[in-house]
Amino acid sequence: MRLSQLDILKSRLWLVLLFGMFLGTLPGAAAKAADLDEAHALFQQGEYDQCIVMTQAEVDRGIWHDGWSKLLMRALMVKGQYAQAAEVYTKVAEKFSASMSLRLMAVEALRYSGKQAEARVLYNQIPTLIENAPWRFSDRDNSVALGGYFLNQGEDPREVLAIFYDAALKSDPKFVDAHVAIAELALSKNDYQEAVNSLKQAEKLLPKDPRIQYLLAKAWASSDSQKATGHLQKALELNPRHPESLLLQCEELLDGEQFDEAEQVIDEVLKLNALQPKAWALRAVIRHLKGEYKEEGECRSKALSTWAQNPAVDYEIGKKLSRFYRFNDAVQYLRRAISLDANYMPARFQLAQDLLRLNAADEGWTMVDQVSAADKYNVVAANLRTLRERLAQFTTIETDGFIIRMDQREARIYGQRVVKLLTEAKRVLCEKYDFKIVDPVNVEIFPQQSDFAIRTFGLPGGAGFLGVCFGKLITANSPASQGDSPSNWESVLWHEFCHVVTLQKTNNRMPRWLSEGLSVSEELQRDASWGQSMTPIYREMILGDDFVPLSKLSSAFLQPPTPMHLQFAYFESSLAVRYMIEQHGLDRLKKLLVDLGMGVPMQDAVGRIYGDADILDADFKEYVTAEAKKLYTEEPDESTELPARISLADLKEFVQAHPKHYKAARQLAAKLAADENWPEALAALERLDKLWPRDAESGGVLESLAAIYRKLDRPAEELATLQRLVANSSDNVPALSRLIELAREAEKWDDVSTYCEQLLAVQPLISLGHTALAEAALKRDDHAAAAEAYAALLELQPIDAGRLHYELAAARFRLGDLEGARQHVLLTLEETPRYRSAQQLLVQIADRRLAERQAATDSGLRTLSLPDLESSPPAPEGIAKPAPPPPAKPDPAAKPEPAKPEPVDKPDANKPAANGASLEK
């Protein structure tokens, strides 16, 4: 439909709607509606057979109300009786020829009955019907139906919203179908807040409709998993047989790799409709994930058996496989969906995103442009197009096996550190897991968290994620995106590159818990302060009700109730990997990865390599329990409950009576420190330190002890405590800064360098680490390190740029980089023309360059000396070759001395050259 037809409707709609308002109050309508409400109640409760009997009787009786026919057709289609639904339309089509909603339902019924030609005829007649008599289709029911039609035709969603949905609500503000249609449109455009607002209105009007609760579950899924779960449970309480809610529940079980439970839910759906397309599509996904590829094809055939050209089937399979990082397989399914319907936008856009994740950038970005052009309200596509413009401004660093994209300034500051770390990770991890990476790995580091989220998830959000790996692509947040408390970016990249190795080795066929567990474990192998370690909270969760058996660990990542539960899922997964390596050996674990890569299902591979799953679960539970109990040096007192509100005096008495009560002792130490009672606070903290010596948490025992030691002027204890703190924490910037300060005061330059390297692994975008590293490098005659540090400082917008240019020039001069030295000393003189040391350095550079040119000239003359004539080509025939003259005898008195480099003067900013002074050697 063209916009001209929309304009025709728009110009006439208000008059017809006004007429329709009076029609809605005709006598007798209320009595009919009461019976129809009873039939709707049966449908909403899942009593589909009773609903069919009741509505069929009214339709056979010839009732003049299309609501009965529509409800009968809906109930029949839920049961999979598409042909019968199409027959209902045939029977009432002439009577209700002005019901567009009934016609569109008939189109769906005919498609799923295998009658594509008849469905096309009905569908293609719609434009002519509207053009001939638009007033016939402008009541509230038809407005909503036509809105859906025009959206499928690719019309502007805002026009559809204004002309059809809003108009329907103006006609009847209590029309639930209009609220639901607006919510569905908002969900399709990822406008979840608008969807929730509309659904809340619908819920007030129809609180017992499971469809509304199902849509609320979808609307909340991306932002509040607990609310989403609550609405889904409510939908199934209202109607335990609601197909859409059951299928959503099945998808959640699939995400948690609970395949058997998902199969049971699919069985429930198929009891209603033995050929339900999405149910068979999800079963095909399960068969794929289990490596049952023949059965996978059979399930797909079942899904397409009622409508062979249905693009939604392959789209659903591809979308779900993408969630499991099976991007290559997902792309194949999505291409099939597009081959069935080239204009099926959900498949086109999912394909665009998956191609970008596979580094097929050219095709991926082209499809993003196509989708954005076709649907200018697609928020994700618009976000990606904006992101592409920002990516174009990034610096690209290409090195062996990596293509790294970073902000230009950040690349100059710590880009080579990124290269060095990734190169080491590739060497170490590929060797450990017997794997060779063939294609380059793309690494994209974003200074803005929103850009990271859009590249990774398509929408802003995901604030808890530091990095994500898709197999050949790593996306990560830079320290600039994390405010005052950045995480250790080196540990993040090491973690994500471990994913690259394990995902590629297994062809993306590993469960999430194993993938995450290996990456966290490898962090700890690289650096004991990285990764995650046991804490009192984790101990409590393990010994309490939050422990998850090994066989169900992937479900822990599915809709965790709190962010802490998600962190615990990572930690428990790392414990699972440690258990498998310590108890069964690394070789078995590597064999598991090989089997997974060959397509062996996880359950079968584990059973073949490790034995019975129940025994493995029991052994793991015993191992984890023992690890949790090792946290404290003495068994803590956890039997006595600490009152919620307690005075300082009572708290002291409580701790005296229960000296091993960890929570009470922590609370007492915090109160004493807040009161600046340093001696008592110190005593309390030292008792805690003996109970748990590795408390490196923010505001924890070690941090508090170091602060009090400093206040009490006890530098030795402060230093020792800070060293323990950074040995157990990878990102404590204040502690590292203080250690640098203490080491500089003590002139322990090796320690300064060590602490600076640790600080730069967390926050390379502040000057302290680079300044101290440059100082230590000069003291240790490490001019390369000094040059790197000064170059980084120049990118941090320093006040004394001239001095830094001079220091960098001096470092490069000592390294023999005369051109680099010359460029930076000239920049120094541009800033401070009378800087004597810079002037002297410029002369030294000129002298050195002159000496090198003279040496090169002398070397060239020696190269063309007489012995070279011996190797000259033979003279032409008939011309005698002259004999070479005798070589010159060396002068025994000559004693040439090698040229010595002039020393580089230290800068003295307080002694500039006098005006008019000549440049003297």
Side-chain angles (χ1 to χ4, degrees), residues 641-667:
E641 188 71 24
L642 180 68
R645 301 184 67 179
I646 187 170
S647 67
L648 179 59
D650 290 341
L651 185 57
K652 286 182 179 180
E653 289 184 10
F654 186 93
V655 171
Q656 190 172 4
H658 307 280
K660 297 180 182 178
H661 197 292
Y662 188 81
K663 290 183 179 178
R666 277 289 296 266
Q667 190 170 330

Side-chain angles (χ1 to χ4, degrees), residues 652-703:
K652 286 182 179 180
E653 289 184 10
F654 186 93
V655 171
Q656 190 172 4
H658 307 280
K660 297 180 182 178
H661 197 292
Y662 188 81
K663 290 183 179 178
R666 277 289 296 266
Q667 190 170 330
L668 175 60
K671 284 180 176 288
L672 291 169
D675 292 343
E676 298 187 359
N677 185 344
W678 306 127
E680 289 191 42
L682 181 60
L685 287 166
E686 286 176 340
R687 286 194 299 270
L688 283 167
D689 188 35
K690 290 179 181 177
L691 191 59
W692 179 29
R694 296 188 61 190
D695 182 2
E697 295 181 329
S698 177
V701 171
L702 290 175
E703 195 171 277

Side-chain angles (χ1 to χ4, degrees), residues 316-623:
E316 291 292 344
I317 298 173
K319 181 181 70 170
K320 210 65 191 171
L321 289 178
S322 179
R323 286 284 298 240
F324 283 89
Y325 284 25
R326 307 289 180 88
F327 298 118
N328 287 314
D329 299 320
V331 163
Q332 292 183 25
Y333 273 104
L334 294 167
R335 291 194 191 281
R336 286 183 188 175
I338 293 170
S339 70
L340 295 175
D341 183 351
N343 296 318
Y344 192 65
M345 285 300 135
R348 293 188 72 84
F349 191 52
Q350 183 67 47
L351 177 59
Q353 294 181 87
D354 286 347
L355 288 170
L356 291 176
R357 290 162 181 161
L358 287 170
N359 290 335
D362 291 342
E363 185 181 4
W365 287 121
T366 298
M367 295 198 76
V368 168
D369 289 338
Q370 291 171 352
V371 171
S372 184
D375 181 3
K376 61 184 179 182
Y377 298 104
N378 187 313
V379 177
V380 181
N383 287 339
L384 285 171
R385 292 187 71 185
T386 302
L387 176 65
R388 180 175 54 178
E389 295 174 2
R390 293 180 182 170
L391 279 171
Q393 299 172 5
F394 277 23
T395 290
T396 299
I397 304 172
E398 294 194 32
T399 186
D400 183 27
F402 295 99
I403 300 173
I404 302 165
R405 295 182 178 88
M406 301 175 64
D407 171 77
Q408 293 181 15
R409 173 173 166 269
E410 291 193 13
R412 292 191 293 267
I413 294 172
Y414 69 103
Q416 290 308 308
R417 291 179 177 274
V418 172
V419 171
K420 181 180 177 182
L421 180 91
L422 289 172
T423 302
E424 180 191 352
K426 181 179 179 181
R427 176 180 56 79
V428 171
L429 296 174
C430 288
E431 180 180 343
K432 181 172 183 176
Y433 290 100
D434 304 325
F435 186 71
K436 183 178 181 180
I437 295 176
V438 178
D439 297 326
V441 177
N442 279 251
V443 181
E444 297 174 359
I445 302 175
F446 296 92
Q448 295 184 33
Q449 195 277 335
S450 59
D451 286 346
F452 161 79
I454 289 167
R455 179 68 170 101
T456 307
F457 310 112
L459 289 168
F465 290 88
L466 299 172
V468 173
C469 173
F470 295 103
K472 295 181 180 180
L473 169 68
I474 293 172
T475 59
N477 279 297
S478 92
S481 69
Q482 300 174 54
D484 296 331
S485 302
S487 297
N488 189 303
W489 64 265
E490 287 191 354
S491 70
V492 171
L493 290 184
W494 194 276
H495 178 107
E496 299 306 333
F497 186 78
C498 184
H499 282 313
V500 171
V501 175
T502 55
L503 287 174
Q504 289 196 29
K505 185 176 179 69
T506 60
N507 294 312
N508 287 32
R509 291 172 179 158
M510 64 193 309
R512 184 172 180 186
W513 74 262
L514 180 57
S515 180
E516 298 296 355
L518 279 166
S519 286
V520 175
S521 178
E522 288 300 336
E523 285 185 72
L524 289 165
Q525 293 294 315
R526 169 60 168 72
D527 189 317
S529 70
W530 292 2
Q532 291 179 285
S533 301
M534 187 73 71
T535 66
I537 293 177
Y538 288 163
R539 180 183 187 275
E540 187 177 323
M541 296 175 82
I542 288 171
L543 301 179
D545 299 328
D546 296 302
F547 172 79
V548 181
L550 181 61
S551 59
K552 297 186 180 298
L553 252 180
S554 285
S555 64
F557 293 91
L558 172 66
Q559 294 186 343
T562 67
M564 178 54 68
H565 282 81
L566 179 60
Q567 290 297 320
F568 180 64
Y570 281 87
F571 176 65
E572 191 183 341
S573 297
S574 72
L575 286 181
V577 169
R578 278 179 52 194
Y579 158 75
M580 295 169 78
I581 293 175
E582 289 179 12
Q583 303 297 316
H584 302 280
L586 178 61
D587 287 340
R588 280 197 186 187
L589 181 59
K590 288 158 69 172
K591 182 170 176 47
L592 174 64
L593 299 180
V594 171
D595 282 6
L596 292 174
M598 294 173 64
V600 179
M602 180 66 179
Q603 188 174 354
D604 295 346
V606 169
R608 191 158 67 88
I609 296 171
Y610 293 96
D612 184 83
D614 292 336
I615 296 175
L616 201 64
D617 278 349
D619 286 348
F620 176 58
K621 171 72 171 177
E622 183 179 345
Y623 173 86

